[in-house]
Amino acid sequence: MLVLLPPSEGKAASGRGAPLKPESLSLPGLAAARAAVLDELVELCTADEEKARQVLGLSEGLRGEIAKNVELRTAGTRPAGEIYTGVLYDALDLASLDAAAKRRAGKALLVFSGLWGAVRVGDRIPSYRCSMGVKLPGLGALGAYWRDPMAAVLPEAAGDGLVLDLRSSAYTAAWKPKGEVAERTASVRVLHAQMVDGVEKRSVVSHFNKATKGRMVRDLLLAGARPKGPAELVETLRELGYVVEAEAPARAGRAWSLDVVVTEIH
């Protein structure tokens, strides 16, 4: 099982570990593309702080984030699973998993990134600021920039098992599973169901959508679940107590769509 996750906008501070070693990151086929983004991002943030703020879409209050990017090559590192914070990662709570579940997380979880393309949670990286929605002056929109490198690397990373896609829309732009890989991909949406004047209404609630996805991944890891495809995933999630509505693709070469329906927001 390969689980595709979005990063978090907010990130923990860089660690005290050794500086970045690009050659140590997973998915070495992305190395050249990573180097190009890193070079341009550091140069941009070093040369013109105001331009960097505008390109990165940062408010005046977040101007200090630019300094993170200036120091990317020299800052300390920590595992990506510790760098990424926020609602999904709080609910996932990697640090509290038992040893077996942590090993599964190291193999199964892949976090997409505007800067790194994608990293595993054990890859050591510094804190940074660069979303997939950024358009760098030289390389252009990062969502489009990453498509070719991802298309060359991700099918092999997906292996022959289930691909559970929990990414937000900005990050799905970087890689869309195709063909046979798409057929064993399940894309998940979380819906909040509530009764309004005797009629059930459903809506997407951003905070709870992220929290539910984090808890769901955590439960799968703790259970040691190994669904081989989307249909098996549906059954596994139902066994874990989730209300799941599944829609098989209308034709070959398309991903499954799963709705996880919840009635309480917490």
Side-chain angles (χ1 to χ4, degrees):
M1 177 172 65
L2 183 68
V3 182
L4 311 181
L5 297 175
S8 57
E9 196 69 23
K11 299 173 181 69
S14 295
R16 296 181 178 179
L20 175 69
K21 296 179 180 178
E23 69 279 3
S24 72
L25 299 180
S26 302
L27 307 178
L30 298 178
R34 286 169 176 154
V37 179
L38 179 62
D39 286 348
E40 182 168 354
L41 185 61
V42 171
E43 181 179 353
L44 170 69
C45 293
T46 302
D48 190 332
E49 185 178 286
E50 180 58 27
K51 182 177 180 180
R53 187 181 70 84
Q54 295 175 5
V55 169
L56 297 175
L58 300 177
S59 66
E60 184 63 36
L62 292 174
R63 182 182 289 271
E65 292 287 284
I66 297 168
K68 289 183 178 180
N69 294 341
V70 173
E71 299 174 354
L72 281 170
R73 294 192 179 92
T74 58
T77 59
R78 60 201 306 175
E82 297 178 13
I83 288 288
Y84 296 116
T85 58
V87 176
L88 187 154
Y89 291 91
D90 286 346
L92 175 54
D93 195 6
L94 287 167
S96 69
L97 292 176
D98 60 44
K102 285 181 179 178
R103 287 194 295 271
R104 297 181 193 112
K107 295 178 181 178
L109 306 187
L110 197 64
V111 184
F112 275 60
S113 162
L115 173 54
W116 314 114
V119 292
R120 301 213 182 258
V121 292
D123 287 341
R124 299 190 67 91
I125 58 174
S127 189
Y128 67 96
R129 192 66 176 240
C130 184
S131 73
M132 193 66 81
V134 164
K135 184 177 182 180
L136 292 175
L139 298 177
L142 291 177
Y145 169 80
W146 280 112
R147 285 175 195 158
D148 286 345
M150 290 290 195
V153 171
L154 267 292
E156 181 179 354
D160 57 3
L162 168 73
V163 178
L164 175 55
D165 192 351
L166 303 179
R167 296 172 296 165
S168 52
S169 58
Y171 291 87
T172 60
W175 183 59
K176 294 182 179 180
K178 299 182 182 299
E180 184 269 335
V181 178
E183 292 173 5
R184 46 188 170 84
T185 296
S187 178
V188 174
R189 178 176 63 166
V190 179
L191 298 178
H192 176 223
Q194 55 184 330
M195 299 302 293
V196 178
D197 298 328
V199 179
E200 184 182 81
K201 301 289 186 180
R202 294 183 174 184
S203 60
V204 176
V205 182
S206 177
H207 177 97
F208 192 58
N209 172 58
K210 295 174 183 176
T212 300
K213 287 178 177 178
R215 285 193 289 269
M216 184 173 64
V217 173
R218 179 181 177 84
D219 288 344
L220 289 169
L221 292 171
L222 287 171
R226 295 182 179 180
K228 296 180 180 179
E232 292 89 343
L233 173 65
V234 171
E235 294 306 312
T236 299
L237 289 175
R238 287 172 177 166
E239 290 171 2
L240 291 172
Y242 292 89
V243 176
V244 183
E245 297 176 356
E247 181 180 342
R251 57 180 184 270
R254 297 294 180 91
W256 283 55
S257 297
L258 274 59
D259 284 341
V260 174
V261 183
V262 297
T263 57
E264 296 181 0
I265 295 180
H266 57 84

mmCIF file of all heavy atoms in Angstrom, residues 111-159:
data_model
loop_
_atom_site.group_PDB
_atom_site.id
_atom_site.type_symbol
_atom_site.label_atom_id
_atom_site.label_comp_id
_atom_site.label_asym_id
_atom_site.label_seq_id
_atom_site.Cartn_x
_atom_site.Cartn_y
_atom_site.Cartn_z
ATOM 1 N N VAL A 111 4.837 11.864 1.186
ATOM 2 C CA VAL A 111 4.335 13.228 1.332
ATOM 3 C C VAL A 111 4.767 14.067 0.128
ATOM 4 O O VAL A 111 5.953 14.181 -0.170
ATOM 5 C CB VAL A 111 4.872 13.874 2.626
ATOM 6 C CG1 VAL A 111 4.247 15.265 2.811
ATOM 7 C CG2 VAL A 111 4.588 12.982 3.830
ATOM 8 N N PHE A 112 3.792 14.660 -0.544
ATOM 9 C CA PHE A 112 4.091 15.496 -1.707
ATOM 10 C C PHE A 112 4.544 16.878 -1.249
ATOM 11 O O PHE A 112 4.171 17.358 -0.184
ATOM 12 C CB PHE A 112 2.864 15.598 -2.609
ATOM 13 C CG PHE A 112 2.764 14.449 -3.577
ATOM 14 C CD1 PHE A 112 2.668 13.141 -3.118
ATOM 15 C CD2 PHE A 112 2.796 14.667 -4.937
ATOM 16 C CE1 PHE A 112 2.597 12.082 -3.997
ATOM 17 C CE2 PHE A 112 2.735 13.607 -5.836
ATOM 18 C CZ PHE A 112 2.636 12.316 -5.362
ATOM 19 N N SER A 113 5.374 17.517 -2.070
ATOM 20 C CA SER A 113 6.002 18.778 -1.676
ATOM 21 C C SER A 113 6.352 19.602 -2.903
ATOM 22 O O SER A 113 6.851 19.066 -3.896
ATOM 23 C CB SER A 113 7.282 18.473 -0.877
ATOM 24 O OG SER A 113 8.132 19.595 -0.815
ATOM 25 N N GLY A 114 6.105 20.907 -2.814
ATOM 26 C CA GLY A 114 6.502 21.779 -3.907
ATOM 27 C C GLY A 114 8.005 21.825 -4.101
ATOM 28 O O GLY A 114 8.489 21.981 -5.225
ATOM 29 N N LEU A 115 8.756 21.682 -3.027
ATOM 30 C CA LEU A 115 10.216 21.730 -3.093
ATOM 31 C C LEU A 115 10.837 20.379 -3.412
ATOM 32 O O LEU A 115 11.708 20.271 -4.285
ATOM 33 C CB LEU A 115 10.774 22.245 -1.763
ATOM 34 C CG LEU A 115 12.295 22.207 -1.568
ATOM 35 C CD1 LEU A 115 13.024 22.919 -2.698
ATOM 36 C CD2 LEU A 115 12.681 22.808 -0.224
ATOM 37 N N TRP A 116 10.417 19.328 -2.738
ATOM 38 C CA TRP A 116 11.068 18.020 -2.873
ATOM 39 C C TRP A 116 10.376 17.083 -3.857
ATOM 40 O O TRP A 116 10.909 16.026 -4.156
ATOM 41 C CB TRP A 116 11.136 17.330 -1.515
ATOM 42 C CG TRP A 116 11.611 18.198 -0.396
ATOM 43 C CD1 TRP A 116 10.893 18.616 0.694
ATOM 44 C CD2 TRP A 116 12.906 18.794 -0.254
ATOM 45 N NE1 TRP A 116 11.654 19.425 1.496
ATOM 46 C CE2 TRP A 116 12.901 19.551 0.944
ATOM 47 C CE3 TRP A 116 14.076 18.758 -1.029
ATOM 48 C CZ2 TRP A 116 14.002 20.263 1.382
ATOM 49 C CZ3 TRP A 116 15.175 19.475 -0.586
ATOM 50 C CH2 TRP A 116 15.143 20.213 0.603
ATOM 51 N N GLY A 117 9.223 17.453 -4.347
ATOM 52 C CA GLY A 117 8.452 16.545 -5.200
ATOM 53 C C GLY A 117 7.648 15.599 -4.332
ATOM 54 O O GLY A 117 6.433 15.709 -4.212
ATOM 55 N N ALA A 118 8.344 14.669 -3.691
ATOM 56 C CA ALA A 118 7.718 13.769 -2.717
ATOM 57 C C ALA A 118 8.827 13.177 -1.854
ATOM 58 O O ALA A 118 9.926 12.911 -2.348
ATOM 59 C CB ALA A 118 6.923 12.665 -3.401
ATOM 60 N N VAL A 119 8.542 13.000 -0.572
ATOM 61 C CA VAL A 119 9.501 12.403 0.349
ATOM 62 C C VAL A 119 8.792 11.389 1.238
ATOM 63 O O VAL A 119 7.579 11.456 1.432
ATOM 64 C CB VAL A 119 10.196 13.461 1.242
ATOM 65 C CG1 VAL A 119 11.098 14.357 0.418
ATOM 66 C CG2 VAL A 119 9.167 14.278 2.018
ATOM 67 N N ARG A 120 9.562 10.472 1.768
ATOM 68 C CA ARG A 120 9.032 9.544 2.767
ATOM 69 C C ARG A 120 9.179 10.184 4.142
ATOM 70 O O ARG A 120 9.995 11.095 4.330
ATOM 71 C CB ARG A 120 9.749 8.207 2.698
ATOM 72 C CG ARG A 120 9.627 7.555 1.315
ATOM 73 C CD ARG A 120 9.588 6.058 1.413
ATOM 74 N NE ARG A 120 9.520 5.438 0.089
ATOM 75 C CZ ARG A 120 8.413 4.949 -0.454
ATOM 76 N NH1 ARG A 120 7.259 5.019 0.196
ATOM 77 N NH2 ARG A 120 8.444 4.371 -1.639
ATOM 78 N N VAL A 121 8.390 9.714 5.102
ATOM 79 C CA VAL A 121 8.366 10.382 6.406
ATOM 80 C C VAL A 121 9.680 10.238 7.151
ATOM 81 O O VAL A 121 9.968 11.013 8.066
ATOM 82 C CB VAL A 121 7.197 9.869 7.275
ATOM 83 C CG1 VAL A 121 5.866 10.306 6.691
ATOM 84 C CG2 VAL A 121 7.245 8.355 7.447
ATOM 85 N N GLY A 122 10.510 9.284 6.769
ATOM 86 C CA GLY A 122 11.816 9.130 7.416
ATOM 87 C C GLY A 122 12.927 9.931 6.779
ATOM 88 O O GLY A 122 14.030 10.027 7.333
ATOM 89 N N ASP A 123 12.673 10.536 5.623
ATOM 90 C CA ASP A 123 13.689 11.360 4.962
ATOM 91 C C ASP A 123 13.978 12.600 5.802
ATOM 92 O O ASP A 123 13.052 13.291 6.251
ATOM 93 C CB ASP A 123 13.207 11.799 3.577
ATOM 94 C CG ASP A 123 13.202 10.665 2.569
ATOM 95 O OD1 ASP A 123 13.889 9.666 2.808
ATOM 96 O OD2 ASP A 123 12.502 10.786 1.545
ATOM 97 N N ARG A 124 15.249 12.907 5.976
ATOM 98 C CA ARG A 124 15.633 14.057 6.792
ATOM 99 C C ARG A 124 15.708 15.313 5.927
ATOM 100 O O ARG A 124 16.494 15.384 4.973
ATOM 101 C CB ARG A 124 16.971 13.801 7.485
ATOM 102 C CG ARG A 124 16.951 12.603 8.423
ATOM 103 C CD ARG A 124 18.202 12.542 9.264
ATOM 104 N NE ARG A 124 18.254 13.660 10.199
ATOM 105 C CZ ARG A 124 17.757 13.633 11.450
ATOM 106 N NH1 ARG A 124 17.179 12.533 11.910
ATOM 107 N NH2 ARG A 124 17.855 14.700 12.238
ATOM 108 N N ILE A 125 14.880 16.300 6.272
ATOM 109 C CA ILE A 125 14.814 17.553 5.524
ATOM 110 C C ILE A 125 14.783 18.728 6.498
ATOM 111 O O ILE A 125 14.399 18.583 7.657
ATOM 112 C CB ILE A 125 13.564 17.607 4.612
ATOM 113 C CG1 ILE A 125 12.283 17.446 5.450
ATOM 114 C CG2 ILE A 125 13.645 16.552 3.517
ATOM 115 C CD1 ILE A 125 11.001 17.629 4.660
ATOM 116 N N PRO A 126 15.177 19.918 6.025
ATOM 117 C CA PRO A 126 15.033 21.118 6.854
ATOM 118 C C PRO A 126 13.626 21.687 6.709
ATOM 119 O O PRO A 126 12.891 21.336 5.779
ATOM 120 C CB PRO A 126 16.075 22.065 6.252
ATOM 121 C CG PRO A 126 16.100 21.689 4.799
ATOM 122 C CD PRO A 126 15.871 20.196 4.753
ATOM 123 N N SER A 127 13.253 22.568 7.610
ATOM 124 C CA SER A 127 11.984 23.273 7.469
ATOM 125 C C SER A 127 12.088 24.237 6.283
ATOM 126 O O SER A 127 13.157 24.775 6.007
ATOM 127 C CB SER A 127 11.677 24.044 8.753
ATOM 128 O OG SER A 127 10.369 24.569 8.722
ATOM 129 N N TYR A 128 10.995 24.463 5.572
ATOM 130 C CA TYR A 128 11.020 25.290 4.363
ATOM 131 C C TYR A 128 9.638 25.879 4.120
ATOM 132 O O TYR A 128 8.668 25.521 4.777
ATOM 133 C CB TYR A 128 11.435 24.446 3.154
ATOM 134 C CG TYR A 128 10.400 23.397 2.780
ATOM 135 C CD1 TYR A 128 9.454 23.642 1.781
ATOM 136 C CD2 TYR A 128 10.345 22.175 3.434
ATOM 137 C CE1 TYR A 128 8.485 22.688 1.449
ATOM 138 C CE2 TYR A 128 9.388 21.217 3.108
ATOM 139 C CZ TYR A 128 8.458 21.478 2.125
ATOM 140 O OH TYR A 128 7.503 20.549 1.810
ATOM 141 N N ARG A 129 9.553 26.742 3.143
ATOM 142 C CA ARG A 129 8.259 27.296 2.733
ATOM 143 C C ARG A 129 8.216 27.351 1.218
ATOM 144 O O ARG A 129 8.891 28.136 0.576
ATOM 145 C CB ARG A 129 8.071 28.699 3.309
ATOM 146 C CG ARG A 129 6.648 29.234 3.181
ATOM 147 C CD ARG A 129 5.672 28.432 4.024
ATOM 148 N NE ARG A 129 4.338 28.969 3.983
ATOM 149 C CZ ARG A 129 3.668 29.399 5.054
ATOM 150 N NH1 ARG A 129 4.235 29.374 6.252
ATOM 151 N NH2 ARG A 129 2.445 29.849 4.933
ATOM 152 N N CYS A 130 7.421 26.480 0.616
ATOM 153 C CA CYS A 130 7.280 26.461 -0.849
ATOM 154 C C CYS A 130 6.171 25.490 -1.201
ATOM 155 O O CYS A 130 6.387 24.277 -1.255
ATOM 156 C CB CYS A 130 8.583 26.047 -1.521
ATOM 157 S SG CYS A 130 8.517 26.113 -3.338
ATOM 158 N N SER A 131 4.980 25.995 -1.436
ATOM 159 C CA SER A 131 3.848 25.122 -1.737
ATOM 160 C C SER A 131 3.834 24.721 -3.212
ATOM 161 O O SER A 131 4.532 25.315 -4.046
ATOM 162 C CB SER A 131 2.538 25.831 -1.397
ATOM 163 O OG SER A 131 2.268 26.852 -2.345
ATOM 164 N N MET A 132 3.040 23.734 -3.540
ATOM 165 C CA MET A 132 2.933 23.279 -4.924
ATOM 166 C C MET A 132 2.258 24.322 -5.813
ATOM 167 O O MET A 132 2.397 24.302 -7.039
ATOM 168 C CB MET A 132 2.159 21.956 -4.974
ATOM 169 C CG MET A 132 2.242 21.214 -6.283
ATOM 170 S SD MET A 132 3.904 20.611 -6.677
ATOM 171 C CE MET A 132 3.968 19.100 -5.683
ATOM 172 N N GLY A 133 1.554 25.276 -5.190
ATOM 173 C CA GLY A 133 0.886 26.315 -5.969
ATOM 174 C C GLY A 133 1.795 27.456 -6.380
ATOM 175 O O GLY A 133 1.384 28.355 -7.121
ATOM 176 N N VAL A 134 3.050 27.421 -5.943
ATOM 177 C CA VAL A 134 4.008 28.490 -6.271
ATOM 178 C C VAL A 134 4.419 28.431 -7.743
ATOM 179 O O VAL A 134 4.565 27.348 -8.316
ATOM 180 C CB VAL A 134 5.252 28.377 -5.364
ATOM 181 C CG1 VAL A 134 6.419 29.195 -5.901
ATOM 182 C CG2 VAL A 134 4.901 28.796 -3.936
ATOM 183 N N LYS A 135 4.616 29.602 -8.326
ATOM 184 C CA LYS A 135 5.129 29.705 -9.694
ATOM 185 C C LYS A 135 6.479 30.415 -9.620
ATOM 186 O O LYS A 135 6.548 31.634 -9.451
ATOM 187 C CB LYS A 135 4.155 30.492 -10.571
ATOM 188 C CG LYS A 135 4.569 30.565 -12.033
ATOM 189 C CD LYS A 135 3.517 31.294 -12.867
ATOM 190 C CE LYS A 135 3.897 31.339 -14.335
ATOM 191 N NZ LYS A 135 2.871 32.051 -15.153
ATOM 192 N N LEU A 136 7.555 29.650 -9.733
ATOM 193 C CA LEU A 136 8.889 30.236 -9.677
ATOM 194 C C LEU A 136 9.212 30.939 -11.002
ATOM 195 O O LEU A 136 8.813 30.464 -12.067
ATOM 196 C CB LEU A 136 9.929 29.152 -9.393
ATOM 197 C CG LEU A 136 9.874 28.524 -7.985
ATOM 198 C CD1 LEU A 136 10.878 27.383 -7.880
ATOM 199 C CD2 LEU A 136 10.138 29.572 -6.906
ATOM 200 N N PRO A 137 9.930 32.051 -10.945
ATOM 201 C CA PRO A 137 10.211 32.809 -12.176
ATOM 202 C C PRO A 137 10.880 31.985 -13.264
ATOM 203 O O PRO A 137 10.580 32.145 -14.452
ATOM 204 C CB PRO A 137 11.128 33.935 -11.685
ATOM 205 C CG PRO A 137 10.747 34.122 -10.256
ATOM 206 C CD PRO A 137 10.439 32.748 -9.751
ATOM 207 N N GLY A 138 11.807 31.104 -12.897
ATOM 208 C CA GLY A 138 12.527 30.331 -13.902
ATOM 209 C C GLY A 138 11.864 29.020 -14.286
ATOM 210 O O GLY A 138 11.788 28.673 -15.464
ATOM 211 N N LEU A 139 11.367 28.295 -13.299
ATOM 212 C CA LEU A 139 10.827 26.954 -13.549
ATOM 213 C C LEU A 139 9.335 26.940 -13.819
ATOM 214 O O LEU A 139 8.804 25.963 -14.343
ATOM 215 C CB LEU A 139 11.128 26.044 -12.350
ATOM 216 C CG LEU A 139 12.603 25.803 -12.050
ATOM 217 C CD1 LEU A 139 12.753 24.944 -10.802
ATOM 218 C CD2 LEU A 139 13.293 25.135 -13.234
ATOM 219 N N GLY A 140 8.650 28.011 -13.458
ATOM 220 C CA GLY A 140 7.221 28.079 -13.691
ATOM 221 C C GLY A 140 6.419 27.442 -12.567
ATOM 222 O O GLY A 140 6.917 27.217 -11.464
ATOM 223 N N ALA A 141 5.145 27.149 -12.860
ATOM 224 C CA ALA A 141 4.240 26.575 -11.869
ATOM 225 C C ALA A 141 4.750 25.203 -11.436
ATOM 226 O O ALA A 141 4.979 24.326 -12.272
ATOM 227 C CB ALA A 141 2.836 26.471 -12.439
ATOM 228 N N LEU A 142 4.914 25.005 -10.134
ATOM 229 C CA LEU A 142 5.522 23.763 -9.661
ATOM 230 C C LEU A 142 4.631 22.546 -9.883
ATOM 231 O O LEU A 142 5.131 21.443 -10.111
ATOM 232 C CB LEU A 142 5.884 23.897 -8.176
ATOM 233 C CG LEU A 142 7.025 24.865 -7.890
ATOM 234 C CD1 LEU A 142 7.267 25.002 -6.395
ATOM 235 C CD2 LEU A 142 8.309 24.415 -8.590
ATOM 236 N N GLY A 143 3.316 22.729 -9.838
ATOM 237 C CA GLY A 143 2.432 21.603 -10.117
ATOM 238 C C GLY A 143 2.696 21.018 -11.496
ATOM 239 O O GLY A 143 2.741 19.796 -11.674
ATOM 240 N N ALA A 144 2.895 21.892 -12.477
ATOM 241 C CA ALA A 144 3.192 21.436 -13.840
ATOM 242 C C ALA A 144 4.637 20.966 -13.953
ATOM 243 O O ALA A 144 4.935 19.989 -14.655
ATOM 244 C CB ALA A 144 2.921 22.563 -14.835
ATOM 245 N N TYR A 145 5.543 21.654 -13.278
ATOM 246 C CA TYR A 145 6.963 21.302 -13.345
ATOM 247 C C TYR A 145 7.218 19.863 -12.900
ATOM 248 O O TYR A 145 8.043 19.155 -13.499
ATOM 249 C CB TYR A 145 7.758 22.273 -12.469
ATOM 250 C CG TYR A 145 9.197 21.854 -12.252
ATOM 251 C CD1 TYR A 145 10.161 22.098 -13.232
ATOM 252 C CD2 TYR A 145 9.595 21.198 -11.079
ATOM 253 C CE1 TYR A 145 11.483 21.708 -13.046
ATOM 254 C CE2 TYR A 145 10.912 20.809 -10.890
ATOM 255 C CZ TYR A 145 11.848 21.060 -11.874
ATOM 256 O OH TYR A 145 13.156 20.657 -11.692
ATOM 257 N N TRP A 146 6.512 19.427 -11.861
ATOM 258 C CA TRP A 146 6.784 18.103 -11.299
ATOM 259 C C TRP A 146 6.141 16.950 -12.080
ATOM 260 O O TRP A 146 6.431 15.787 -11.806
ATOM 261 C CB TRP A 146 6.305 18.055 -9.849
ATOM 262 C CG TRP A 146 7.259 18.691 -8.886
ATOM 263 C CD1 TRP A 146 7.076 19.846 -8.174
ATOM 264 C CD2 TRP A 146 8.561 18.213 -8.529
ATOM 265 N NE1 TRP A 146 8.178 20.117 -7.418
ATOM 266 C CE2 TRP A 146 9.108 19.132 -7.612
ATOM 267 C CE3 TRP A 146 9.313 17.098 -8.905
ATOM 268 C CZ2 TRP A 146 10.374 18.964 -7.049
ATOM 269 C CZ3 TRP A 146 10.579 16.939 -8.347
ATOM 270 C CH2 TRP A 146 11.098 17.858 -7.440
ATOM 271 N N ARG A 147 5.288 17.241 -13.032
ATOM 272 C CA ARG A 147 4.541 16.161 -13.691
ATOM 273 C C ARG A 147 5.434 15.136 -14.385
ATOM 274 O O ARG A 147 5.270 13.933 -14.217
ATOM 275 C CB ARG A 147 3.536 16.749 -14.689
ATOM 276 C CG ARG A 147 2.323 17.353 -14.031
ATOM 277 C CD ARG A 147 1.424 18.031 -15.037
ATOM 278 N NE ARG A 147 0.468 18.893 -14.345
ATOM 279 C CZ ARG A 147 -0.154 19.911 -14.909
ATOM 280 N NH1 ARG A 147 0.086 20.202 -16.194
ATOM 281 N NH2 ARG A 147 -0.995 20.645 -14.216
ATOM 282 N N ASP A 148 6.378 15.593 -15.170
ATOM 283 C CA ASP A 148 7.226 14.638 -15.901
ATOM 284 C C ASP A 148 8.128 13.845 -14.962
ATOM 285 O O ASP A 148 8.210 12.612 -15.078
ATOM 286 C CB ASP A 148 8.048 15.374 -16.958
ATOM 287 C CG ASP A 148 7.216 15.796 -18.157
ATOM 288 O OD1 ASP A 148 6.079 15.288 -18.305
ATOM 289 O OD2 ASP A 148 7.679 16.637 -18.946
ATOM 290 N N PRO A 149 8.841 14.509 -14.019
ATOM 291 C CA PRO A 149 9.649 13.716 -13.089
ATOM 292 C C PRO A 149 8.826 12.716 -12.290
ATOM 293 O O PRO A 149 9.246 11.570 -12.085
ATOM 294 C CB PRO A 149 10.278 14.780 -12.170
ATOM 295 C CG PRO A 149 10.278 16.029 -12.983
ATOM 296 C CD PRO A 149 9.054 15.957 -13.817
ATOM 297 N N MET A 150 7.657 13.110 -11.852
ATOM 298 C CA MET A 150 6.795 12.207 -11.087
ATOM 299 C C MET A 150 6.310 11.038 -11.937
ATOM 300 O O MET A 150 6.267 9.891 -11.478
ATOM 301 C CB MET A 150 5.587 12.966 -10.541
ATOM 302 C CG MET A 150 5.925 13.951 -9.452
ATOM 303 S SD MET A 150 6.417 13.145 -7.924
ATOM 304 C CE MET A 150 6.280 14.532 -6.802
ATOM 305 N N ALA A 151 5.948 11.340 -13.170
ATOM 306 C CA ALA A 151 5.457 10.285 -14.054
ATOM 307 C C ALA A 151 6.521 9.230 -14.306
ATOM 308 O O ALA A 151 6.214 8.060 -14.550
ATOM 309 C CB ALA A 151 4.997 10.892 -15.384
ATOM 310 N N ALA A 152 7.800 9.633 -14.229
ATOM 311 C CA ALA A 152 8.898 8.697 -14.460
ATOM 312 C C ALA A 152 9.207 7.849 -13.232
ATOM 313 O O ALA A 152 9.761 6.752 -13.356
ATOM 314 C CB ALA A 152 10.151 9.464 -14.890
ATOM 315 N N VAL A 153 8.858 8.347 -12.047
ATOM 316 C CA VAL A 153 9.288 7.704 -10.803
ATOM 317 C C VAL A 153 8.156 7.036 -10.022
ATOM 318 O O VAL A 153 8.323 5.946 -9.462
ATOM 319 C CB VAL A 153 9.989 8.757 -9.905
ATOM 320 C CG1 VAL A 153 10.247 8.197 -8.507
ATOM 321 C CG2 VAL A 153 11.287 9.212 -10.549
ATOM 322 N N LEU A 154 6.999 7.669 -9.968
ATOM 323 C CA LEU A 154 5.938 7.204 -9.082
ATOM 324 C C LEU A 154 5.329 5.847 -9.434
ATOM 325 O O LEU A 154 4.979 5.074 -8.534
ATOM 326 C CB LEU A 154 4.843 8.257 -8.981
ATOM 327 C CG LEU A 154 4.973 9.241 -7.817
ATOM 328 C CD1 LEU A 154 4.750 8.538 -6.492
ATOM 329 C CD2 LEU A 154 6.307 9.947 -7.819
ATOM 330 N N PRO A 155 5.156 5.503 -10.719
ATOM 331 C CA PRO A 155 4.597 4.179 -10.992
ATOM 332 C C PRO A 155 5.411 3.055 -10.373
ATOM 333 O O PRO A 155 4.846 2.078 -9.853
ATOM 334 C CB PRO A 155 4.600 4.117 -12.530
ATOM 335 C CG PRO A 155 4.451 5.546 -12.952
ATOM 336 C CD PRO A 155 5.274 6.313 -11.956
ATOM 337 N N GLU A 156 6.728 3.167 -10.396
ATOM 338 C CA GLU A 156 7.567 2.144 -9.778
ATOM 339 C C GLU A 156 7.393 2.158 -8.262
ATOM 340 O O GLU A 156 7.326 1.103 -7.620
ATOM 341 C CB GLU A 156 9.032 2.371 -10.127
ATOM 342 C CG GLU A 156 9.964 1.314 -9.521
ATOM 343 C CD GLU A 156 11.416 1.521 -9.896
ATOM 344 O OE1 GLU A 156 11.703 2.409 -10.718
ATOM 345 O OE2 GLU A 156 12.269 0.782 -9.369
ATOM 346 N N ALA A 157 7.304 3.353 -7.683
ATOM 347 C CA ALA A 157 7.102 3.448 -6.233
ATOM 348 C C ALA A 157 5.779 2.844 -5.815
ATOM 349 O O ALA A 157 5.649 2.294 -4.717
ATOM 350 C CB ALA A 157 7.179 4.912 -5.801
ATOM 351 N N ALA A 158 4.792 2.937 -6.679
ATOM 352 C CA ALA A 158 3.472 2.387 -6.363
ATOM 353 C C ALA A 158 3.470 0.865 -6.341
ATOM 354 O O ALA A 158 2.591 0.252 -5.735
ATOM 355 C CB ALA A 158 2.443 2.901 -7.374
ATOM 356 N N GLY A 159 4.451 0.252 -6.998
ATOM 357 C CA GLY A 159 4.520 -1.204 -7.026
ATOM 358 C C GLY A 159 3.282 -1.806 -7.654
ATOM 359 O O GLY A 159 2.734 -1.269 -8.614
#
